[in-house]
């Protein structure tokens, strides 16, 4: 088995997906830029890569390339040097590696899905990979519904035996986390696979090609927190996890009639008037909260207006309004949204009935 590369290591970040599970939010913004604790998920990914000592990052972009470029720039803000790699369509993770071949050269690299979140980061994993240099290293975690992920089958000796992408009948509950470590031999593997039943070039098929060729494919089962933030429920869970660790502080104004309880961060320019804020929570710059309740695990972004309302365990994006509403919870509210009470109307029933119908209406 031919081993290429040296001490250098790059990162390949995938940000080209369409984010169908997060619609309607992803009709107007990339899923990687939907914020948790008022910061886009993609920023956490890039910060994690930088903290691992990697500085060269290729970002695979698709139809939302303009928004990703605007948010990330050249990478200076993260201590990175960013190169953008256009992908004409989201044709699979292995396809992303294929189009990044020239950029990656003969360097080892970590492939990191731009909508994934892992507590604790990858720095230790990067250090171990640099020293041991297996041909590929994958991360696994136990999940309740493995059919939604790539799934690994582990043999009695603890080694990876087989991998399958979104199987109808999973052979284990070990899901492949969206962070992979590769040496350059993976380029031969992705060049050898063909589209799956989903019409995509699957990275699990490339890994299986390596396994079939007796290459050294290792796995690490992580017990820490990991989420693929591809749907609203997972976004809210990641938001909860991040808020648990926020540094409290008040840079905005809190009047004497308000109460702030627990771990709460109130950003500069925010105003809290006659309200109760119970942490962990974050109130973004320029936001005004009046005669309202903001409960635990809530992120309110910039320039929002909350009046006479209650909200908890939710994410509210910038320039939105919540007025006169009863308890809102487990919600993701997009940008420039207005939520108000529905007008009261007389109770009544509207009926369109065909011949010979029989209807009973409660009085």
């Amino acid at each position: 088995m031919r081993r290429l590369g040296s001490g250098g290591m790059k990162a390949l970040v995938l940000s080209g997906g369409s984010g169908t599970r997060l619609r309607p939010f992803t009709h107007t913004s990339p899923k990687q830029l939907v914020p948790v604790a008022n910061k886009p998920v993609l920023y956490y990914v890039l910060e994690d890569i930088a903290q691992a000592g990697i500085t060269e990052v290729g970002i695979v972009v698709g139809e939302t390339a303009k928004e990703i470029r605007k948010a990330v720039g050249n990478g200076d803000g993260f201590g990175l040097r960013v190169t953008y790699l256009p992908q004409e369509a989201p044709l699979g993770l292995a396809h992303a590696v294929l189009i990044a071949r020239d950029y990656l050269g003969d360097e080892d690299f970590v492939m990191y899905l731009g909508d994934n979140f892992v507590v604790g980061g990858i720095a230790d994993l990067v250090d171990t990979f640099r020293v041991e240099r297996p041909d590929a290293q994958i991360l696994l975690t136990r999940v309740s519904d493995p059919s939604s992920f790539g799934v690994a089958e582990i043999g009695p000796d603890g080694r990876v035996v087989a991998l399958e992408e979104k199987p109808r009948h999973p052979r284990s509950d070990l899901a492949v986390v969206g962070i992979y470590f590769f040496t350059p031999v993976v380029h031969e593997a992705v060049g050898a696979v063909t589209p799956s039943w989903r019409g995509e070039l699957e990275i699990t098929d490339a890994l299986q090609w390596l396994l079939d060729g007796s290459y050294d494919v290792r796995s690490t089962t992580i017990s820490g927190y990991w989420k693929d933030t591809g749907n609203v429920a997972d976004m809210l869970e990641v938001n909860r996890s991040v808020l648990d660790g926020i540094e409290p502080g008040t840079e905005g104004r809190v009047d004497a009639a308000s109460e702030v309880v627990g771990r709460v961060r109130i950003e500069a320019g925010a105003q809290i008037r006659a309200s109760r804020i119970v942490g962990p929570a974050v109130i973004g710059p320029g936001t005004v909260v009046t005669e309202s309740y903001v409960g635990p695990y809530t992120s309110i972004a910039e320039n929002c207006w909350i009046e006479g309302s209650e909200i908890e365990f939710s994410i509210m994006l910038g320039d939105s309004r919540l007025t006169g509403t009863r308890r809102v919870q487990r919600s993701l509210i997009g940008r420039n949204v207005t939520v108000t009470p529905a007008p009261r109307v007389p109770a009544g029933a509207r009926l369109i009935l065909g011949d010979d119908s029989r209807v009973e209406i409660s009085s």
Side-chain angles (χ1 to χ4, degrees), residues 54-336:
I54 298 172
T55 57
E56 297 286 345
V57 180
I59 301 182
V60 176
V61 292
E63 59 185 15
T64 60
K66 182 178 179 180
E67 292 91 335
I68 298 290
R69 287 175 180 267
K70 181 178 179 181
V72 176
N74 63 7
D76 279 352
F78 304 91
L80 303 171
R81 290 187 293 272
V82 169
T83 300
Y84 293 96
L85 307 170
Q87 185 182 33
E88 68 270 19
L91 298 175
L93 305 189
H95 182 261
V97 176
L98 198 64
I99 66 167
R101 178 67 179 93
D102 290 343
Y103 170 75
L104 294 168
D106 288 336
E107 301 291 347
D108 297 346
F109 66 98
V110 55
M111 182 169 74
Y112 207 135
L113 273 60
D115 59 354
N116 273 227
F117 184 92
V118 59
V119 169
I122 63 170
D124 289 344
L125 295 166
V126 168
D127 290 343
T128 300
F129 183 80
R130 286 181 187 273
V131 172
E132 300 182 359
R133 291 196 74 230
D135 293 298
Q137 177 90 23
I138 61 175
L139 305 186
L140 306 175
T141 191
R142 298 192 182 278
V143 297
S144 58
D145 181 19
S147 63
S148 299
F149 303 92
V151 175
E153 182 180 357
I154 305 298
D157 60 355
R159 291 183 174 272
V160 181
V161 174
L163 291 148
E164 188 175 4
E165 186 66 28
K166 294 181 174 61
R168 293 183 175 91
H169 304 288
R171 298 178 184 178
S172 81
D173 63 350
L174 288 169
V176 181
V177 174
I179 302 170
Y180 310 78
F181 299 87
F182 293 116
T183 61
V185 72
V186 73
H187 297 299
E188 188 176 355
V190 299
V193 300
T194 56
S196 67
W197 61 272
R198 301 194 306 153
E200 298 186 3
L201 295 178
E202 311 287 2
I203 199 65
T204 44
D205 289 346
L207 287 161
Q208 187 64 52
W209 185 93
L210 292 173
L211 287 169
D212 293 342
S214 299
Y215 288 91
D216 186 5
V217 178
R218 302 183 191 179
S219 69
T220 299
T221 300
I222 61 174
S223 56
Y225 187 85
W226 165 78
K227 281 291 182 183
D228 167 2
T229 61
N231 59 53
V232 172
D234 286 343
M235 288 290 301
L236 294 175
E237 281 300 312
V238 171
N239 190 62
R240 179 195 61 76
S241 177
V242 174
L243 288 176
D244 269 333
I246 66 166
E247 289 295 325
T250 300
E251 297 181 20
R253 295 174 56 189
V254 180
D255 70 9
S258 296
E259 182 182 19
V260 177
V261 181
R263 189 185 295 271
V264 176
R265 188 172 73 230
I266 300 173
E267 304 283 4
Q271 299 181 51
I272 311 299
R273 306 167 179 166
S275 297
R276 190 166 192 258
I277 315 295
V278 179
V282 57
I283 310 296
T287 286
V288 177
V289 181
T290 301
E291 296 181 343
S292 295
Y293 166 78
V294 177
Y297 301 117
T298 303
S299 296
I300 309 297
E302 72 283 354
N303 302 321
C304 291
W305 180 274
I306 301 175
E307 182 177 8
S309 301
E310 300 178 357
I311 183 171
E312 66 180 9
F313 196 52
S314 296
I315 298 173
M316 186 172 180
L317 277 58
D319 301 299
S320 291
R321 300 176 65 90
L322 194 66
T323 59
T325 60
R326 300 178 65 180
R327 187 67 59 94
V328 173
Q329 56 190 4
R330 301 190 66 84
S331 299
L332 176 52
I333 299 171
R335 294 178 177 83
N336 197 32

